[in-house]
Amino acid sequence: MRTRATTTATARAVTAGAVMLAWVGLLWLLEGIDTMTGHSLDTYGVSPREPSELLDVVPAAFLHSGWEHVASNSVPLLVLGFIAALAGIRRFAAVVLVVIVTGGLGVWLTAPPNTVTLGASGVVFGLFGYLLVRGFVDRRPLDIVVGLIIAAVYGSLLWGVLPTDSGISWQGHLFGLVGGVAAAFVLRRPRRPAGAVTV
């Protein structure tokens, strides 16, 4: 017999999977359009400290500089996004928005002049940071375990926040990570009163 909780969990998993497959599919579609149009979409990347470029903070997170770039982001985005989206699509959308805005503004403020930054890696780092601390912030043991597993599997991502490669936006990685941690605090779940009964 399927319980209500099982049915709800299954529905959330299906929805989370569909959302992430659609998102990653969109990234590949956009890269295809970008390639066919002579990389015309790259103009929507973020150039630092130009006021008009603030409008590109959101679209820049969905664009890439080539097939290798989008391929490198697809699997971690799919995995981390799916896990984060299991908590509900509205909450997930709010987390992603905080990450994109924080990461984009950080790039806009700190990236070297005459550069263009784009890609979903800031979102990947943001989701990593969010999942890493969410359980501790919400004081939910299961989420703490999930965070520890993610740390073990994807912990090497943290090297990406260091300025080790001039062709990689460590600023986008760092501020995406900051945005994810911030989202865990801003969107933390209210604590239930002691002895509260849920149905």
Side-chain angles (χ1 to χ4, degrees):
M1 178 180 293
R2 291 169 64 89
T3 64
R4 180 183 299 179
T6 301
T7 302
T8 300
T10 301
R12 284 192 170 189
V14 170
T15 301
V19 167
M20 292 314 303
L21 287 172
W23 186 350
V24 172
L26 174 62
L27 299 185
W28 284 83
L29 175 62
L30 290 172
E31 186 54 35
I33 294 171
D34 187 46
T35 300
M36 290 187 294
T37 58
H39 301 286
S40 62
L41 297 184
D42 290 353
T43 59
Y44 293 99
V46 176
S47 296
R49 293 170 295 283
E50 295 182 20
S52 62
E53 291 293 308
L54 289 171
L55 296 175
D56 293 336
V57 163
V58 173
F62 294 86
L63 302 171
H64 293 81
S65 60
W67 296 110
E68 184 178 352
H69 190 198
V70 69
S72 68
N73 283 329
S74 292
V75 173
L77 178 63
L78 189 62
V79 173
L80 297 176
F82 173 76
I83 295 171
L86 287 174
I89 297 304
R90 288 184 182 178
R91 183 180 178 85
F92 173 69
V95 169
V96 170
L97 181 60
V98 172
V99 169
I100 288 177
V101 171
T102 304
L105 289 177
V107 166
W108 185 83
L109 287 168
T110 65
N114 303 314
T115 60
V116 177
T117 301
L118 40 73
S121 56
V123 177
V124 170
F125 275 78
L127 291 173
F128 172 76
Y130 170 73
L131 292 171
L132 201 63
V133 304
R134 175 186 64 177
F136 296 98
V137 173
D138 291 341
R139 298 185 182 182
R140 295 167 64 95
L142 178 59
D143 287 343
I144 291 174
V145 172
V146 169
L148 293 175
I149 293 172
I150 288 172
V153 175
Y154 286 104
S156 61
L157 279 177
L158 291 173
W159 292 109
V161 303
L162 301 176
T164 56
D165 189 331
S166 60
I168 297 177
S169 174
W170 62 269
Q171 297 93 343
H173 296 172
L174 174 61
F175 286 100
L177 182 69
V178 169
V181 173
F185 285 92
V186 172
L187 301 170
R188 63 182 176 272
R189 297 180 185 276
R191 296 186 63 189
R192 295 191 185 98
V197 177
T198 58
V199 294

